[in-house]
Amino acid sequence: MLVLGIETSCDETSIAIASGERQILSNIVVSSLHLHKRYGGIVPEIACRHHTELINFVLDKALKRAKTSLNDIDAISVTQGPGLIGALLVGISLAKALSYSLKIPIIPLNHLHGHLYAATINEREVKFPSIGLIVSGGHTSLVDIKDIGNLKLLGQTRDDACGEAFDKVAKILGLGFPGGPIIEKQAKGGNCEKIEFPRSYLSKDTLDFSFSGIKTAVLYFVESLKRKGQRLPVADICASFQKAVFDMLLNKTRACCQNRGAKSLLIGGGVSANRSLRKRLEDLSSDLGIDILFPPKGMSLDNAAMIAGLGCYMYKREKFGDYSFTAQANLNL
Ligand code: KG4
Ligand code: ZN
């Protein structure tokens, strides 16, 4: 069995080939991030052009790296959404063209399912009940994992996503884009107890999050120091901000796992690359006595390996799509 997975939901043009749910033969990721940096965020038009220009090159490279050819591929899996509509359409158009011309099944997939699937790639089994935490640039969600590819939303952010808050705070501090890795690096040299930024826990009976308050608190703090002509303690701001955000994430994740009697916790999305978050989640899981599963190195950020691996899982269960599906920017879980 060989499944070719295509992921073009944001700035990464990525194609991977899997020979089984956990056997990734190739995973080529080419990002257009360097082209967006000067604008301080992702510019959809630039991302789409980049996908169009590079997708054939990425396809060739993925096939070569896997030492295979299109004639040996059994199915095509592709990200249907959520994501940038034009960007998604580039991947979906290629997927439909390949599926039609090679006469092989097409498997449309949800990007968020892919992010959580990435956490299972190195593991043999997921113990149920299982909870998923998705922390990316567009989403912050807690989900009940009924089965692989069958998720029920339990809580989500009411405003900014967790990664988005990192990106916005980095912008306020003039540190560049994307903010997550830069803030993590700065935070290492700072004191996380130095500034008491507000945590928003909403009410006790909700598993929702809110990150817009802390972003505004950082903005006001920075503006007031600037007005007084004082030097910005950048590392302390980053460390204190990061700790506050992770306090909020940990608080709801703990409550969710306890309420549901979880036996495992799966983490996915770009923010899961953060070492400090991983350490705190590891501590939480050992405290609760449950398994914790993270994406392997290089699979926290957007990539097609998670789409090819999940594609294999669906292929075995014959969960195929037809050509009537199209890109959905706001595709739900
Ligand atoms: O999952 P992802 O690659 O794309 C989306 O589906 O959104 O996540 C990108 C997000 C960005 O907001 C980025 O700042 C954040 O993940 N991120 C991080 C780190 N690396 C990436 N946030 C915190 N710490 C990191 N090390
Ligand atoms: Zn993503």
Side-chain angles (χ1 to χ4, degrees):
M1 169 178 64
L2 284 184
V3 173
L4 184 142
I6 305 174
E7 157 64 43
T8 60
S9 67
C10 194
D11 57 304
E12 284 89 2
T13 313
S14 184
I15 296 185
I17 294 167
S19 60
E21 283 128 297
R22 294 182 178 91
Q23 286 83 42
I24 307 298
L25 303 183
S26 65
N27 179 31
I28 308 297
V29 185
V30 182
S31 173
S32 58
L33 199 58
H34 59 288
L35 302 173
H36 305 275
K37 279 188 192 244
R38 57 193 284 218
Y39 302 101
I42 301 296
V43 182
E45 178 66 21
I46 294 177
C48 297
R49 280 171 190 243
H50 181 266
H51 289 317
T52 315
E53 282 161 17
L54 282 167
I55 198 136
N56 285 328
F57 165 78
V58 173
L59 175 63
D60 282 346
K61 234 177 146 188
L63 289 165
K64 278 201 187 99
R65 180 81 48 92
K67 296 191 174 60
T68 188
S69 71
L70 279 178
N71 289 329
D72 293 325
I73 302 294
D74 297 298
I76 309 288
S77 57
V78 62
T79 301
Q80 181 185 6
L84 304 170
I85 196 87
L88 290 164
L89 278 171
V90 178
I92 291 173
S93 302
L94 175 66
K96 286 184 179 175
L98 288 175
S99 157
Y100 187 76
S101 58
L102 298 168
K103 298 186 178 56
I104 54 176
I106 191 163
I107 307 167
L109 294 174
N110 186 311
H111 180 76
L112 302 175
H113 291 204
H115 269 311
L116 281 187
Y117 189 79
T120 71
I121 279 180
N122 281 346
E123 296 289 325
R124 273 183 302 279
E125 60 156 347
V126 176
K127 289 188 193 143
F128 293 95
S130 179
I131 294 297
L133 171 68
I134 302 163
V135 274
S136 72
H139 293 81
T140 309
S141 313
L142 277 166
V143 298
D144 182 3
I145 304 174
K146 302 260 178 225
D147 194 359
I148 302 297
N150 181 1
L151 312 178
K152 184 171 165 270
L153 186 66
L154 299 173
Q156 62 184 332
T157 182
R158 294 189 184 172
D159 37 58
D160 292 342
C162 181
E164 190 182 355
F166 272 83
D167 295 336
K168 287 180 174 171
V169 163
K171 201 171 185 176
I172 292 168
L173 293 168
L175 294 176
F177 175 82
I182 308 173
I183 291 190
E184 176 175 18
K185 203 167 164 208
Q186 286 281 344
K188 283 191 186 125
N191 177 354
C192 64
E193 309 291 344
K194 199 80 186 209
I195 307 150
E196 188 63 21
F197 290 123
R199 278 87 166 140
S200 166
Y201 293 113
L202 303 171
S203 75
K204 262 202 152 61
D205 48 310
T206 178
L207 292 171
D208 284 353
F209 302 94
S210 168
F211 297 109
S212 68
I214 185 163
K215 168 203 66 192
T216 311
V218 174
L219 176 67
Y220 288 166
F221 182 80
V222 168
E223 280 181 347
S224 103
L225 288 187
K226 279 188 180 164
R227 264 198 308 276
K228 291 181 213 152
Q230 290 178 5
R231 190 190 60 85
L232 288 183
V234 174
D236 290 341
I237 295 174
C238 290
S240 304
F241 161 78
Q242 181 173 274
K243 172 149 194 308
V245 168
F246 294 164
D247 282 351
M248 292 186 261
L249 277 180
L250 268 282
N251 175 283
K252 296 291 176 182
T253 306
R254 174 185 283 274
C256 185
C257 290
Q258 282 174 328
N259 293 349
R260 300 256 152 189
K263 294 207 170 107
S264 67
L265 174 61
L266 273 61
I267 315 292
V271 185
S272 75
N274 189 293
R275 300 303 316 170
S276 163
L277 177 62
R278 284 193 178 215
K279 170 80 176 62
R280 292 194 58 182
L281 285 166
E282 271 161 10
D283 291 347
L284 173 73
S285 71
S286 53
D287 193 29
L288 296 176
I290 65 177
D291 287 353
I292 184 141
L293 282 67
F294 291 106
K297 203 173 178 324
M299 285 192 206
S300 287
L301 298 170
D302 289 351
N303 68 85
M306 62 193 197
I307 299 302
L310 183 54
C312 284
Y313 184 92
M314 295 302 174
Y315 180 74
K316 280 188 184 164
R317 287 153 187 83
E318 297 191 7
K319 294 201 172 160
F320 306 141
D322 59 38
Y323 297 129
S324 64
F325 84 90
T326 189
Q328 268 185 264
N330 298 314
L331 185 65
N332 288 323
L333 287 166

